Amino acid sequence: MSRQEIDNFYLNLSEPNRGCMLSLRSILSNCHPDITQEWKYRLPFFYLKGKMFCYLWMDKKTTHPYIGFTDGGQMEHPSLIQGDRKRMKILLIDPNNDIPLNLLKKVLNEALALRS
C-alpha cells in the first residue's frame, strides 16, 4: 500500500468532493475493526479481513462520489445501483448534501452480513 498515493488521491480532489470522500473514507475505515485501506487499480479500496470489500470512485456523468461494493450483486438494498456492472453495485452520494448516515449504515450492515 502506498499511503502517499492514497492521500494524494483525496487531496487532489476539488471541493465538495474532497470533503465528501474524506468523510466516506473515515466512515468506511471505522465501520469494522478488520477494515484496511489499500491502493488498488489506481483508486482507494477497502478490504475486510484481507478480501476486497468496497472502493470509492466518482460517477463519470455527475462526478458525484460513490461507494462500489464488490459483493453488490448479492445485495438487495433499493438504493444500490447495478447499471451494466455484473458483480458490483454502487451507492451514489451527493457531495452537496449531508452524507445520509442512516442509509449508509444500513447498506454497510448488509454488505458486512454477507461476509460473516
Side-chain angles (χ1 to χ4, degrees):
M1 165 176 83
S2 170
R3 180 51 116 188
Q4 185 176 3
E5 285 177 302
I6 293 172
D7 290 342
N8 285 340
F9 168 80
Y10 294 105
L11 296 176
N12 289 329
L13 296 172
S14 58
E15 291 295 351
N17 283 352
R18 179 186 307 146
C20 182
M21 292 286 254
L22 286 169
S23 294
L24 291 172
R25 173 190 196 181
S26 177
I27 292 165
L28 292 171
S29 294
N30 293 302
C31 76
H32 192 279
D34 294 322
I35 293 274
T36 57
Q37 188 176 188
E38 306 286 338
W39 184 250
K40 184 114 174 145
Y41 307 117
R42 295 179 20 207
L43 55 112
F45 245 97
F46 296 83
Y47 282 68
L48 177 61
K49 298 179 182 176
K51 294 185 180 180
M52 285 190 235
F53 179 66
C54 66
Y55 62 94
L56 292 175
W57 200 240
M58 288 163 293
D59 183 73
K60 289 178 185 174
K61 292 179 185 173
T62 65
T63 70
H64 286 183
Y66 68 79
I67 305 171
F69 291 92
T70 56
D71 291 334
Q74 300 173 44
M75 297 172 69
E76 300 296 327
H77 198 283
S79 295
L80 294 173
I81 302 165
Q82 185 154 20
D84 58 1
R85 298 169 192 85
K86 294 184 193 264
R87 180 178 169 201
M88 303 193 190
K89 287 184 183 176
I90 67 167
L91 178 65
L92 279 170
I93 306 292
D94 185 342
N96 298 302
N97 295 322
D98 289 342
I99 293 173
L101 290 176
N102 288 334
L103 169 63
L104 185 52
K105 285 179 185 179
K106 287 177 185 176
V107 173
L108 284 171
N109 285 337
E110 182 179 348
L112 289 167
L114 290 172
R115 298 290 179 93
S116 61

